[in-house]
Amino acid sequence: MTPAPAHAPAPPRAPATGRKAGRLAAARAGAAVLLAALLAPAAAGAACIPVRVGYMDQHRPPYWLGEGSDVPDPPGAAVDLMHDAVLGAGFGCAPVWVRLPIARLRVALASGDIDMSPLGELPSYPPGIALPRDKAGNIDLDRAMHNALIVLVRAGDKLPASTVPMQHFKGKLLGVAQGQSYAPRLREAGLTIDDGARDLERNLEKLRLGRVDGVVVAAVSPAHLKATLARYKGAVVQLPQPLINTRVWLAFNDNFYRAHPAQVEALWTWLDVNRHRLGYVMQKYRKQ
């Protein structure tokens, strides 16, 4: 009998049957489940989590451009900032813009008609709205947009540079643009506020006509403010000392926060790290 070659191929295995076939099928299924679990994080990171971002439907350059529900191109510096924040936080896709009347924004956010909206400091905050919290459970003062409010006055009033606005304007009338979230805080501080005019230009006209004693404006973009004041040829000037410092948060609907806490927390942290970005973004709106 001739011996088989040393490297002869092994005879083919018979197909597994019975209990052995069951074990093989189970092993393959387990491997498939394991592979799916390993790939899940990458797939989740690539997924799009839509964020409906609500903001005012009025033309307030350079922050918000355009009127009504349509979003123009470019949309405004504050809209650009929120766009960058959503993408930077890992939501995976650009936000969905929802333009609403100012009075409806807070209600729409609390009810879940929108997921996120800018919200300034208030004496109290309505239920249904999530704000960043610190380790003690208090509202986090760092993870917000920080702003100084300044007062514009008539040059003819000859107010000294040493004027302390919070003291000087007690008992006088200050113009504030309609819908500004800091108006309640100013009233709580004992100031008398006229917020009937919808924008800075209309308030400056009230100032020129003597209907208000000063106009409050956020000092985000010195270049934009300088261009505005230049139109009054020195008749309107800025007081050197700020009125107060204030904050604006990007607030979320509470149910949306609970569904996506990691992304929302990442957005609030992004805002803290990039707190000076609004001033940078506003450079392209200097002529608006």
Side-chain angles (χ1 to χ4, degrees), residues 195-263:
D195 56 356
R198 66 178 290 174
D199 54 33
L200 175 60
E201 284 68 24
R202 287 174 175 84
N203 269 317
L204 288 175
E205 186 62 16
K206 284 185 176 184
L207 178 66
R208 190 184 68 81
L209 296 172
R211 293 167 57 188
V212 295
D213 301 298
V215 172
V216 180
V217 62
V220 176
S221 175
H224 185 268
L225 181 58
K226 183 178 180 181
T228 300
L229 294 181
R231 296 199 292 269
Y232 292 86
K233 304 184 185 303
V236 178
V237 295
Q238 170 189 335
L239 289 179
Q241 296 192 39
L243 178 64
I244 59 169
N245 292 315
T246 188
R247 299 171 183 85
V248 176
W249 287 276
L250 293 182
F252 281 83
N253 171 269
D254 195 48
N255 289 331
F256 184 90
Y257 171 78
R258 294 182 197 184
H260 310 288
Q263 289 81 7

Side-chain angles (χ1 to χ4, degrees), residues 62-82:
Y63 308 102
W64 325 103
L65 302 186
E67 297 278 358
S69 60
D70 293 336
V71 179
D73 183 16
V79 183
D80 285 344
L81 177 72
M82 293 190 295

Side-chain angles (χ1 to χ4, degrees), residues 93-155:
C93 50
V96 178
W97 304 116
V98 182
R99 302 194 70 177
L100 294 171
I102 297 171
R104 284 183 54 197
L105 282 171
R106 207 176 306 163
V107 175
L109 183 62
S111 66
D113 292 334
I114 56 177
D115 305 312
M116 185 185 96
S117 185
L119 183 66
E121 290 182 275
L122 299 171
S124 61
Y125 298 91
I129 292 177
L131 292 169
R133 301 280 172 174
D134 59 22
K135 292 181 179 178
N138 301 314
I139 293 176
D140 195 329
L141 302 182
D142 288 328
R143 292 190 289 172
M145 292 178 282
H146 299 250
N147 233 331
L149 299 183
I150 60 174
V151 182
L152 308 179
V153 296
R154 293 177 291 268

